[in-house]
Amino acid sequence: MHTPPTLTLYEKIGGQPVVAQIVDDFYQRVLADDTVSHFFANTDMEKQRRHQTAFISQALGGSNQYTGRSMGKAHSGLNLQPEHFEAIANHLGESLAEYGLTKEEINSVLERISTLKEAVLYK
C-alpha cells in the first residue's frame, strides 16, 4: 500500500510566492509597531525581506536554505529584550494566520523560531 507523501507547510501554503507575501504582511505589522520598528530604521528592507523570506521558507519546511549572517551576528548591538522577541513572534503568528495556517501549524513554526531566542537576546 502506497502512502502519499506528507506536504510540508511550505508546500501546503503555496511555496515561495506565498511566503514572500507573508513576509510583506509581517513587515507591515512590524514597521507599524513602535515597540520594534526603530530596529529597522537604517535597514535595507529589500535585502531584509529576501533574508526573511529564505528564513521563513526554511522554518516552514521549504528547501531554501537561509545563508545570511548567524542570528547572533545579525542581532549584535541591538540589545533585544524578551518583549521585542515576543512582539516579532506575535506579528509573525498574525501574518501566518492571515494566510490560513492553523493555530497548531503556527505554534509549530513559532516553536522553531523560539529556539533562536538565546542567540538574539541581550546582544
Side-chain angles (χ1 to χ4, degrees):
M1 192 167 179
H2 179 68
T3 306
T6 304
L7 293 178
T8 64
L9 283 176
Y10 177 80
E11 294 164 329
K12 182 180 171 189
I13 65 169
Q16 187 74 15
V18 177
V19 173
Q21 291 173 11
I22 290 170
V23 169
D24 285 344
D25 182 87
F26 167 72
Y27 279 118
Q28 284 178 9
R29 295 170 192 273
V30 167
L31 295 175
D33 181 352
D34 292 340
T35 307
V36 290
S37 62
H38 61 280
F39 291 114
F40 298 91
N42 298 312
T43 300
D44 175 345
M45 289 307 293
E46 274 312 304
K47 183 177 177 184
Q48 183 68 22
R49 279 181 171 84
R50 284 193 307 273
H51 282 299
Q52 191 70 288
T53 299
F55 179 74
I56 298 298
S57 293
Q58 190 172 343
L60 292 170
S63 61
N64 290 345
Q65 296 297 314
Y66 173 77
T67 59
R69 295 179 292 167
S70 73
M71 288 296 129
K73 284 183 183 173
H75 297 87
S76 180
L78 297 178
N79 193 26
L80 294 175
Q81 301 298 307
E83 61 268 21
H84 302 131
F85 191 92
E86 294 306 317
I88 294 293
N90 288 336
H91 292 310
L92 178 57
E94 291 166 358
S95 295
L96 293 170
E98 188 74 26
Y99 283 83
L101 273 74
T102 66
K103 190 177 259 312
E104 183 179 275
E105 291 167 338
I106 292 166
N107 287 340
S108 171
V109 173
L110 294 179
E111 280 177 25
R112 289 184 203 164
I113 302 296
S114 72
T115 64
L116 302 170
K117 212 175 202 178
E118 233 177 85
V120 301
L121 292 183
Y122 312 113
K123 305 288 180 209

